[in-house]
Amino acid sequence: MKIYFRHYSGAISQYDYLFFDCMAKVSSEEEDSALQEGWLPDDYLIKKDSSGNILKSDWYQARQTRINLSKFFDTRRTKKARKKCKEITTKRLNAKEIDLNILNNIFNKYFEYRNFKKWDLNPLILSEPHRKYFLVYYQDNKPIAFTFMRDVGSNSVFSTQFAWDYENPKLYLGKYANLAEIDYCIEHKKNYMYLGFGYEKSCIYKADYEGFEFWTGEEWSIDIDHYIWLCERDSKIEKTKDLDKIKKHDDKNFFK
């Protein structure tokens, strides 16, 4: 595994922080060990060789999240989510056979409802398409949501992106979709389901499921209270000096 960095900015005068991405080139044989050390593939960053061929995705380091599927079980909350969406059906479609026009229509409605920054879905399936697929959710035979997923390592799955048209917000379909993803992984005897970033309040829901773990930079932790505290703190960051305070606090209290 070759690790490299994309340095963007930093401060050393009034504040003390560095802003960069930590990336890695990971071979297929190294994927399992990379997953255990908090790395996941960045399918949004498309790289090509000198002939224009799309290369294997590079991997990125972050506060990752995952479900240890051997420890998952249904709770009262998850049973309620399943009951609310009992009329929803799910179908797995390979990346090469999916109708991206339908998915992009759902994707655009998702961004509008959530007021998120828009980006293009199409590049996600360009690299390693044979390892990528979608779970599409139907109501009355109409596609209303999807999850983009990909295989990682020898026996794990990365649930990369969920989107929903929100035409019936009372469904709480996002919670049900997480359970459908978990069910799919358990049915196919996977070890872990990776959920990607664990930042800001928008990612707190990922800790709602039994078997949840997050990457601290040194280990996979099951301290849910600390994870929630970190996500809430992320959402309070507004200025450069906030980052400086966080770094000093964590260097003293956590990264000893």
Side-chain angles (χ1 to χ4, degrees), residues 16-240:
D16 181 17
Y17 77 90
L18 302 173
F19 177 37
F20 60 86
D21 284 335
C22 183
M23 307 293 295
K25 295 185 180 299
V26 179
S27 68
S28 299
E29 294 76 17
E30 296 171 322
E31 287 191 5
D32 284 329
S33 59
L35 289 168
Q36 291 302 318
E37 295 296 326
W39 297 88
L40 281 173
D42 182 1
D43 289 317
Y44 305 97
L45 177 65
I46 304 300
K47 289 195 170 183
K48 300 180 180 181
D49 61 20
S50 57
S51 300
N53 299 311
I54 296 173
L55 300 173
K56 185 178 186 296
S57 297
D58 286 354
W59 290 42
Y60 67 97
Q61 179 69 207
R63 186 196 299 156
Q64 313 285 15
T65 61
R66 71 183 184 184
I67 304 296
N68 183 338
L69 296 166
S70 67
K71 297 182 178 180
F72 173 79
F73 59 88
D74 270 319
T75 63
R76 181 180 297 178
R77 181 184 297 179
T78 60
K79 290 177 181 178
K80 184 178 180 180
R82 291 182 187 278
K83 185 177 181 180
K84 187 178 288 289
C85 294
K86 61 182 180 180
E87 302 300 325
I88 301 299
T89 58
T90 306
K91 183 178 180 180
R92 179 192 186 278
L93 295 172
N94 293 328
K96 291 183 177 180
E97 64 180 348
I98 198 74
D99 185 342
L100 284 177
N101 291 325
I102 294 176
L103 297 193
N104 277 317
N105 182 48
I106 295 172
F107 212 30
N108 290 332
K109 291 180 179 179
Y110 172 74
F111 284 125
E112 291 173 6
Y113 186 89
R114 297 297 299 272
N115 196 29
F116 286 165
K117 180 182 178 180
K118 291 186 177 182
W119 48 271
D120 189 8
L121 179 65
N122 298 40
L124 280 180
I125 65 173
L126 295 179
S127 174
E128 305 172 88
H130 62 288
R131 305 180 74 184
K132 299 176 178 179
Y133 44 92
F134 293 83
L135 294 186
V136 182
Y137 308 97
Y138 297 83
Q139 185 176 37
D140 298 326
N141 295 318
K142 175 188 174 183
I144 61 171
F146 68 86
T147 303
F148 169 65
M149 305 175 76
R150 63 160 293 160
D151 293 328
V152 286
S154 59
N155 204 34
S156 293
V157 168
F158 179 14
S159 174
T160 305
Q161 178 67 53
F162 169 76
W164 171 25
D165 63 17
Y166 278 97
E167 291 185 6
N168 183 5
K170 293 182 179 180
L171 275 177
Y172 295 102
L173 187 56
K175 295 180 179 179
Y176 174 79
N178 286 143
L179 295 171
E181 295 158 20
I182 290 171
D183 290 345
Y184 172 86
C185 291
I186 292 176
E187 180 183 347
H188 289 81
K189 303 185 185 305
K190 303 297 183 179
N191 295 327
Y192 294 96
M193 186 176 84
Y194 289 84
L195 304 173
F197 289 134
Y199 297 107
E200 299 187 294
K201 290 181 179 179
S202 62
C203 288
I204 289 177
Y205 78 91
K206 296 181 181 182
D208 287 346
Y209 306 98
E210 296 298 323
F212 174 81
E213 301 174 353
F214 74 98
W215 178 247
T216 68
E218 296 180 323
E219 64 181 358
W220 287 98
S221 173
I222 59 173
D223 188 342
I224 293 177
D225 289 339
H226 184 55
Y227 171 76
I228 293 174
W229 179 81
L230 288 171
C231 290
E232 290 177 340
R233 186 180 68 172
D234 295 335
S235 291
K236 295 176 182 178
I237 297 172
E238 295 180 349
K239 300 179 180 179
T240 301

